[in-house]
Amino acid sequence: NCCTIDWFTPWPRDALLSVASKLLGKIDLGEDGALAKVSNVCMVIHSSVREASERFLVEMRRTNYTTPTSYLELINLYTGMLGEERTINNAKVERYQNGMDKLKSTNVMVGELKVEIIKMQPKLAQAGVDAAELIEVVTKDKEAAAVVQANVEEEAKKVTAITEEASVIKLDAQKDLDEALPAFDSALKALKSLNKNDITEIKSFAKPPPMVMFTLEGVCILKGVKPTWDDAKKLMGESTFLADLETFDKDNIKEKTIKQLKKYIDDPGFTPELVEKVSKAAKSLCMWVRAMDVYARVAKNVEPKKAKLAEAERTVSEMSALLAEKTAQLNQVLARVKELEEKLLNTIKERDDLQLQSDLSTARLGRAEQLTNGLASEQVRWDAELIQLNQDKIDLTGNILMASGVVAYTGAFTSNFRSDLIKIWVAECQANGIPVDAAFSLERIIGDAPTIRGWNIQGLPADPLSTENGIIVTKGRRWPLMIDPQTQANRWIRAKEKANRVQVIKLTESTYLRTLENCIRVGNPVLLENVEESLDPALEPVLSKLVFKQSGRLLIRLGDTDVDYSPDFRFYITSKLPNPHYSPETCVKITLLNFTVNQSGLEDQILGLVVGKERPDLQEAKNQLVVSMADMRKTQKELEDKILKLLAESEGDILADENLIVVLGEAKTTSDEITIKVTEAEKTEKEIDLTREKYRPTAFRGSLLFFCASDLALVDSMYQYSLQWFLALFDSGLENSTAAEEVAQRCENVNEFFTYSLYKNICRGLFERDKLLFSFTLCIKLMQGDDRIDAQEWRFLLAGATSPETALPNPATDWLVESSWLDISDLAKVKAFRGFDQSFADNVHEWRAYFDSLSCYKDALPGEWNEKLDLLQKLLVLRCLRQDMIQWGIMAFVTAEMDVKFIEPPTFNLPLAFQDATSVVPLLFVLSSGVDPTMSWIEFAKEMGFEERLDSISLGQGQGPIAERKMTLASKTGAWLLLQNCHLAVSWMPKMEALVENFDPAVLHPDFRLWLTAMPSPKFPVAVLQNAVKMTLEPPKGLKANVTGSLAALRDDFFS
């Protein structure tokens, strides 16, 4: 059977409340009882979006789905965002509060320091007097001590001199003694080596050897006995013989004895070495004799020196005693001086301490005043910011709930729908007692001003809708899919992620999955552009973020492969479709965003284009100002953060940290300089804007005309025009319109020229049935821009009567149908037509004449109504009475409001259309049944000299690859290629779109032209449609159209 099941039925209120309560019960909502309130508002948000989506479909013909997954996304987004924003808000409050506390405590310190410095001055003055008096006393005592010290030093010099002299004598004597002592020591050592047996050996000689006897004689002489063998034997026989020799009084040897020894000493044979040959014991005695001789002779020379040394030492002793006495006196004086100096030092220290304390207090006071005065303006601003932050802290639950709703649900809506939804949500929060900002702004609550200014520089329009879209792109949990017919989002994403090496892919590329996989692995952002209404199922894991953890690695499965998933990966999707219809299954995986250009944003964009052409100096200055102001405001914010950070990190007494005060001062000075520059830049910007605003009428007209052209897509899918095409045409209008000295006249000339230029270019691609419609909507759009259209009247013209009730019965049932009387009765409810139904009933015969007239669309209205009503209002009357004449009425209306040329569209002119084409801009024949432009194309090719470089192919099953090869060849040789019946090769259209989009003028032959023919088809590639030179071909209708077409086909030389 034909039964289908709608699986996306709305959840009941109880289910929505239950789910919200369960999920939100896990987080801190700030107060008791908040769970039920927040759950109720979540339910209202979801329900209101569903209702808005239904209205969105009716009013805008755009589809938006709200599913249970959307509701879960709202709650999950709120759960994460609430904690994150609470942390951010608390950190900001703490920073500002800390800064304010430090400044307030510093202000208190200023008063305390002033009192402290005043109290310190008398103490400081007295300390100075005491120190001066002590300095005078100490100076006098020092002078007296200096005299005593000079005397002592003089005596000390004398003692030193005598001491040095005695030391020299002593050293000289010791030197002489040092010569004898070694020999003496050697002799003693030799004696000690002898024993009783050695002596007995000598005594045993009956007649000793000569050298032994010679040696013993020397010993006897020194001992004072006769130098005979008998006496020698007796001497040696003494038991203390050796001990007596060791202790011999060497210092008192007589001169006579020395003389007696001389012959022995001088004897060359009397040496220890020679004597040893005779007797070892005699050798030792020989050494002793010779040592005594040496010592005696040395002692003789040393004795006078000893006497002199004794005298010198006595003198030194006497003078040292005198010196000690004088030194004691000096020490007493110096001790007094030292005591006074210590007292003076203590006094000076007390004075210096007081001075240091005073200086420190003065310096702290200076730093305090520097801090408080320097940050006075910040204090005011911080105080206001702190008040706002504390209020935001109170409103956090409601504000983040609003922000979550905007991010989760409103991306697909236009600005009016978003505003209506926010009003509903704010009112619901207030009704439930949830604190919320009554003037809620997504940009203020979760936006960052420096970041947004950076986005504007990167190409994001500065209007509120685009700013909200930018925030949703960065804050949403799901990857964004942007409806971007004018490619504004595409250009912004490319600029925004350029530094991160964004990779751009299309579904038509064979390698797009490999590129995506590589980017996921390394963390590069990916921009998937020009998607249609369905996405490749291979993207499912990426869209659903099916990331899992394995062995500590983040992985995602793409096809059969597990790919490492980098947390830095970002995924963006754009579509050129102006009104795509994505399935609910797709909508729950992505955040759908409507990036369609709005009027205010486009107006500013066109204004920049106009001023850039007319006054390039102004536009350049404006662009530089925008960039410099963004940089300065960013720096200003960074400096404020630096100041607050320094204040927060300061410990203890902030005024004691001079370096901190200096850094704060430098930061404040820089901030003030930037503030001055920002003020000057803002003043300059206003001056520039005043001049730029003079060109605003042209920008306003341009924005109106673009939306008039873009609305044609609602009439036929083939009537699509890109913003780039429109701006290029507008730029041509600036070049070719009449110049003027006065800006106002110049704007009028541009407006007039471009309006007609747009009309001609668009009419070339419209079917005859739609050309008058375009003329009329063009006229109405311009009148709406001038605020000359009443919304109620315009609605009546489009829809007619909306009520079945009439205040009066039909006064002319014989010729006026009931539906017309219903229209008249309903029209009478419009302000300008009050009493119209009664007046009609009172003058029914005059209205009958108007009704029967064949030229009623231009005839005067009966009675007062002809003077009272304007042209559009008269058209409403015509609609009520003669709907069959409404087309003529519209033609008359457009002629009167604009010009007759706006209802006389130009005839088909292939050479003129060809002038707008290039090697990268194809030409498209939009066909109707029974029309084939091939012969006209061949004739034109002959005229242009391309009859030898022509090629064509009729598309159909299997012809795509052949057409691709022909296109490649023609692009290299500079030929013309005609692809016929593109609507029959729907499956190959995405490939053709990719080929056309990749056209590079640097690679293509400049003579190459791509010609296309197609019947109207919703499957025709939007990107090609928007930028191609479109021409409609249909059989001429009516005599005038036939004759005009025939004459247009003739050459000029035909008439000559």
Side-chain angles (χ1 to χ4, degrees), residues 2-15:
C2 296
C3 177
T4 59
I5 300 175
D6 182 4
W7 290 105
F8 298 97
T9 53
W11 277 9
R13 294 168 60 91
D14 291 345

Side-chain angles (χ1 to χ4, degrees), residues 7-31:
W7 290 105
F8 298 97
T9 53
W11 277 9
R13 294 168 60 91
D14 291 345
L16 295 172
L17 285 171
S18 176
V19 169
S21 298
K22 184 173 181 179
L23 295 178
L24 295 176
K26 302 174 184 177
I27 64 172
D28 177 18
L29 294 176
E31 62 178 41

Side-chain angles (χ1 to χ4, degrees), residues 608-886:
L609 179 63
V610 175
V611 178
K613 274 288 186 183
E614 301 295 312
R615 289 290 303 275
D617 55 326
L618 276 182
Q619 190 60 30
E620 179 65 23
K622 171 72 174 178
N623 294 339
Q624 291 178 355
L625 270 178
V626 169
V627 175
S628 63
M629 284 182 67
D631 291 340
M632 287 189 292
R633 290 190 183 280
K634 181 181 179 182
T635 305
Q636 202 172 25
K637 177 64 176 173
E638 290 172 350
L639 286 171
E640 180 185 270
D641 292 340
K642 180 181 179 181
I643 291 172
L644 288 170
K645 183 173 182 289
L646 289 171
L647 289 174
E649 292 176 350
S650 64
E651 298 179 356
D653 184 4
I654 188 174
L655 300 180
D657 192 344
E658 184 176 359
N659 182 56
L660 173 62
I661 301 298
V662 170
V663 173
L664 286 173
E666 291 174 352
K668 173 58 182 169
T669 301
T670 307
S671 178
D672 288 342
E673 290 173 357
I674 291 176
T675 301
I676 293 171
K677 290 179 181 178
V678 168
T679 304
E680 292 174 352
E682 287 175 344
K683 183 181 178 182
T684 306
E685 186 177 29
K686 288 179 181 177
E687 293 172 355
I688 292 174
D689 286 344
L690 283 175
T691 306
R692 292 175 83 247
E693 284 300 310
K694 294 179 181 178
Y695 294 94
R696 177 69 68 177
T698 297
F700 180 66
R701 170 68 70 91
S703 65
L704 291 175
L705 295 176
F706 173 77
F707 285 105
C708 185
S710 63
D711 287 345
L712 287 171
L714 300 173
V715 178
D716 193 304
S717 61
M718 303 299 282
Y719 299 162
Q720 298 199 44
Y721 302 90
S722 70
L723 181 60
Q724 288 73 22
W725 172 86
F726 178 84
L727 293 178
L729 186 63
F730 186 85
D731 186 66
S732 174
L734 291 174
E735 292 281 355
N736 298 318
S737 56
T738 306
E741 292 292 331
E742 294 294 328
V743 175
Q745 183 60 49
R746 171 62 176 156
C747 288
E748 188 177 336
N749 292 348
V750 172
N751 288 347
E752 182 179 344
F753 181 88
F754 178 65
T755 302
Y756 187 59
S757 173
L758 180 72
Y759 172 75
K760 289 190 300 180
N761 275 274
I762 288 183
C763 276
R764 183 171 62 201
L766 299 180
F767 291 114
E768 286 296 328
R769 65 177 182 272
D770 299 322
K771 291 179 179 178
L772 181 59
L773 172 63
F774 175 61
S775 299
F776 183 54
T777 55
L778 188 65
C779 181
I780 292 296
K781 184 70 77 172
L782 296 179
M783 292 177 68
Q784 287 176 331
D786 295 336
D787 200 22
R788 293 171 52 204
I789 299 292
D790 180 82
Q792 193 175 7
E793 294 174 2
W794 175 239
R795 186 206 57 78
F796 183 86
L797 180 63
L798 296 177
T802 56
S803 172
E805 299 177 359
T806 60
L808 301 173
N810 187 346
T813 55
D814 54 333
W815 60 269
L816 186 65
V817 296
E818 196 62 32
S819 60
S820 294
W821 179 244
L822 280 175
D823 285 340
I824 292 171
S825 298
D826 212 48
L827 183 61
K829 298 174 185 176
V830 178
K831 183 178 179 181
F833 292 87
R834 301 291 186 200
F836 180 68
D837 53 349
Q838 186 63 56
S839 174
F840 185 90
D842 295 341
N843 300 280
V844 68
H845 296 294
E846 296 178 21
W847 284 104
R848 174 62 187 267
Y850 175 84
F851 178 81
D852 290 338
S853 173
L854 295 178
S855 58
C856 58
Y857 63 90
K858 59 182 178 179
D859 291 346
L861 297 179
E864 60 179 343
W865 299 104
N866 192 62
E867 299 295 330
K868 188 177 179 180
L869 302 180
D870 60 26
L871 291 176
L872 181 64
Q873 291 167 340
K874 291 178 180 179
L875 205 57
L876 301 185
V877 176
L878 182 64
R879 185 197 188 286
C880 292
L881 295 174
R882 293 289 301 272
Q883 291 189 18
D884 60 314
M885 300 296 289
I886 197 70

Side-chain angles (χ1 to χ4, degrees), residues 75-88:
I75 296 173
N76 290 331
L77 190 62
Y78 178 62
T79 302
M81 196 181 293
L82 181 63
E84 180 183 336
E85 291 300 322
R86 181 177 287 153
T87 302
I88 293 172

